[in-house]
């Protein structure tokens, strides 16, 4: 995911962060459509009521996140964005140990936010907006995953979201569209879509079918550490001492969270289709 984010940062000198986010969801949607070729049933209203809100939440999360990493180091933005999973985990916690893990993660996020507020308040606000949409992504993603055809619904949701968000590409007029004539830009955009959306979000659908939302939310505490490593290796971004402590506290929350702190995962209401899909 964050290798893709590092590629996206490289596109910010050619396109706005929001435009890169639209290209990401568009690239991911096209790749998923070509791979899955969702059946006609996936485009019916009952399925669209699940997939489209999920796709829009994902697109808005990506746009807010890209606006944040245009202003903040990658690891810092991800740790702040983790407020969303923290809120989900807090709402679904059942044991004192689980509450402790949420408090630890929240403390780490608060420490990072305090460090960064004086330097880039707009970056902090964008990261917190991404956090809200990340919480929505978890809750809506669980609905999609347990319906039995998560990846197909994800393909449909991403495609519809890309169409609805595409006007963002025209905000800069002809000058804003000029970079899209460069095949390198388009190739990088597809690469970002595959690395940051198709692979990780596809894996999320597998995991969400098997664990509760609270457990999944705290497992995401591993992501700030991953983002920090990628930010250092790919972008030369090294967190300060206080930020490093905050990121460490967020990551430590995953070790404290109990394995059985969630209610049992929801039963799959619609069995997955049997047999190989097109192109498999």
């Amino acid at each position: 995911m964050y290798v893709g984010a590092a590629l996206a940062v490289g596109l910010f000198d050619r396109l706005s962060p929001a435009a890169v986010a639209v290209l990401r969801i568009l690239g991911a949607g096209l790749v998923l459509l070509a791979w899955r070729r969702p059946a006609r049933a996936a485009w019916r209203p009952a399925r669209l009521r699940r997939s489209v809100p999920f796709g829009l939440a994902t697109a808005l999360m990506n746009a807010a996140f890209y606006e944040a990493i245009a202003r903040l180091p990658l690891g810092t933005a991800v740790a702040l964005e983790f407020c969303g999973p923290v809120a989900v985990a807090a709402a679904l916690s059942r044991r004192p140990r689980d509450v402790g893990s949420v408090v630890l993660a929240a403390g780490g996020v608060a420490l990072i936010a305090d460090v960064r507020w004086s330097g880039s308040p707009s970056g902090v606000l964008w990261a917190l907006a991404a956090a809200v949409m990340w919480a929505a992504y978890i809750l809506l993603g669980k609905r999609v995953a347990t319906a039995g055809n998560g990846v197909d619904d994800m393909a449909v949701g991403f495609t519809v979201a890309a169409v609805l968000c595409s006007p963002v590409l025209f905000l800069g007029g002809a000058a804003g569209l000029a970079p899209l004539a460069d095949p390198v830009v388009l190739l990088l955009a597809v690469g970002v879509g595959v690395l940051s959306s198709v692979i990780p979000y596809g894996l999320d659908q597998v995991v969400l079918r098997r664990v509760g939302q609270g457990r999944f939310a705290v497992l995401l505490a591993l992501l700030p550490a991953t983002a920090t490593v990628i930010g250092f290796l790919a972008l030369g971004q090294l967190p300060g001492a206080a930020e490093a402590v905050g990121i460490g506290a967020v990551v430590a929350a995953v070790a404290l969270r109990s394995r059985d702190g969630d209610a049992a995962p929801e039963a799959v209401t619609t069995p997955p289709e049997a047999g190989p899909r097109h192109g498999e």
Side-chain angles (χ1 to χ4, degrees):
M1 181 180 289
Y2 297 121
V3 172
L7 288 177
V9 170
L11 289 171
F12 290 168
D13 60 348
R14 304 285 303 275
L15 294 162
S16 71
V20 175
V22 172
L23 290 177
R24 167 181 168 176
I25 200 78
L26 177 61
L30 291 175
V31 169
L32 285 168
L33 284 180
W35 169 35
R36 300 298 297 181
R37 299 184 189 177
R40 187 175 301 175
W43 301 89
R44 290 176 180 166
R47 297 272 290 274
L48 289 174
R49 282 194 291 271
R50 289 193 301 267
S51 62
V52 173
F54 173 65
L56 284 173
T58 304
L60 293 174
M61 174 182 69
N62 293 342
F65 176 66
Y66 282 173
E67 293 288 353
I69 64 175
R71 297 164 174 82
L72 298 173
L74 181 59
T76 302
V78 172
L80 288 172
E81 189 190 23
F82 190 70
C83 286
V86 165
V88 173
L92 299 175
S93 293
R94 303 297 178 84
R95 300 182 179 187
R97 177 178 174 180
D98 301 334
V99 174
S101 73
V102 171
V103 171
L104 183 60
V109 168
L111 180 60
I112 296 164
D114 184 60
V115 170
R116 280 291 163 182
W117 185 257
S118 60
S120 180
S122 62
V124 171
L125 291 175
W126 277 115
L128 294 178
V132 173
M133 300 316 302
W134 200 358
Y137 166 85
I138 294 170
L139 298 174
L140 295 170
K142 180 67 174 179
R143 289 178 55 199
V144 169
T146 54
N149 247 319
V151 179
D152 283 7
D153 286 341
M154 187 171 71
V156 172
F158 283 9
T159 302
V160 175
V163 172
L164 294 177
C165 295
S166 60
V168 171
L169 297 174
F170 299 91
L171 292 180
L177 292 174
L180 299 182
D182 186 346
V184 174
V185 170
L186 295 178
L187 182 62
L188 285 174
V190 172
V192 169
V194 171
L195 290 172
S196 291
S197 294
V198 175
I199 296 174
Y201 295 160
L203 291 173
D204 282 355
Q205 288 297 306
V206 175
V207 176
L208 279 166
R209 286 172 61 87
R210 290 163 171 77
V211 303
Q213 292 159 314
R215 175 70 175 161
F216 177 78
V218 180
L219 280 171
L220 292 175
L222 296 173
L223 295 180
T226 307
T228 301
V229 171
I230 295 298
F232 173 67
L233 294 177
L235 302 172
Q237 298 172 343
L238 186 64
E243 288 175 279
V245 171
I247 292 170
V250 171
V251 174
V254 76
L256 185 61
R257 172 76 180 187
S258 65
R259 290 183 177 274
D260 52 355
D262 296 322
E266 300 172 30
V268 176
T269 56
T270 305
E273 297 179 12
R277 300 295 310 241
H278 295 288
E280 293 184 338

